[in-house]
Amino acid sequence: MIARLIVALTLLGSAPVWAAEPSGCDKFKWSIDKERAALTAQDRPKIASGGDLAIPAAATLDLKAPAEAKLPTSPERKPKDGTFAGFARFQKAPKAGTYTVSLSAAAWVDVVQDGEILKPMEFSGATDCAGIRKTMKYDLAAGPFVIQVSGVTENSISLAVLPSE
């Protein structure tokens, strides 16, 4: 009985290692060269939460405490205390299709179009890759949409929205 308990505790203690995300730029599921270049470009603008962007877009988004961020839609995941949130408005996607939404840091992302929170078609993320932390692919219609980020540990985040290849 004690041996079983020791084995169970050992397995539970090592579970976070199994669940950890991959480390390094080569661990993303697809090439992130364009997205990483957009997120680290020296000329990307800095916009306030609620600002407008157009695709292709790359910007540094200023964030606020979740209560002050006034996100247009309640996020699917409640932000933790001490984190930051914000959003960017897009008047329209140039055409219906698949677009990548990439972030420089860990965050919860909600893409909202026509009042609905869209689910990503694919997701990829890795730690220890300078400039990019996660990227997701979304199927967007040609109409307006909003990207909300929450649960960010810093008061700004770089965001890129690009047509997917």
Side-chain angles (χ1 to χ4, degrees):
M1 182 69 159
I2 291 177
R4 286 184 185 170
L5 180 60
I6 291 172
V7 169
L9 290 174
T10 301
L11 289 174
L12 285 174
S14 62
V17 173
W18 295 339
E21 285 193 80
S23 176
C25 297
D26 62 334
K27 299 300 189 273
F28 283 86
K29 295 177 185 174
W30 56 83
S31 173
I32 49 136
D33 294 340
K34 285 189 326 180
E35 291 81 2
R36 188 173 178 213
L39 289 169
T40 59
Q42 296 298 318
D43 62 345
R44 72 186 181 282
K46 191 170 197 171
I47 66 165
S49 178
D52 291 325
L53 288 172
I55 293 175
T60 299
L61 182 62
D62 281 334
L63 306 173
K64 300 178 179 190
E68 299 169 15
K70 297 185 170 110
L71 299 176
T73 303
S74 294
E76 280 195 324
R77 182 180 289 176
K78 185 178 190 274
K80 293 180 182 176
D81 289 339
T83 63
F84 298 89
F87 66 99
R89 295 181 188 279
F90 293 80
Q91 293 309 312
K92 65 177 186 169
K95 61 181 182 175
T98 303
Y99 293 85
T100 59
V101 175
S102 304
L103 301 174
S104 61
W108 182 258
V109 178
D110 291 308
V111 176
V112 183
Q113 191 169 47
D114 296 328
E116 299 289 328
I117 295 177
L118 304 179
K119 300 292 183 203
M121 298 165 43
E122 293 183 77
F123 164 89
S124 187
T127 59
D128 303 317
C129 182
I132 188 169
R133 174 65 179 82
K134 70 190 298 186
T135 186
M136 298 139 296
K137 293 183 180 182
Y138 288 90
D139 186 24
L140 296 175
F145 64 98
V146 172
I147 295 179
Q148 304 180 154
V149 294
S150 56
V152 184
T153 59
E154 301 293 326
N155 65 357
S156 68
I157 193 167
S158 290
L159 164 77
V161 182
L162 304 171
S164 186
E165 293 180 348

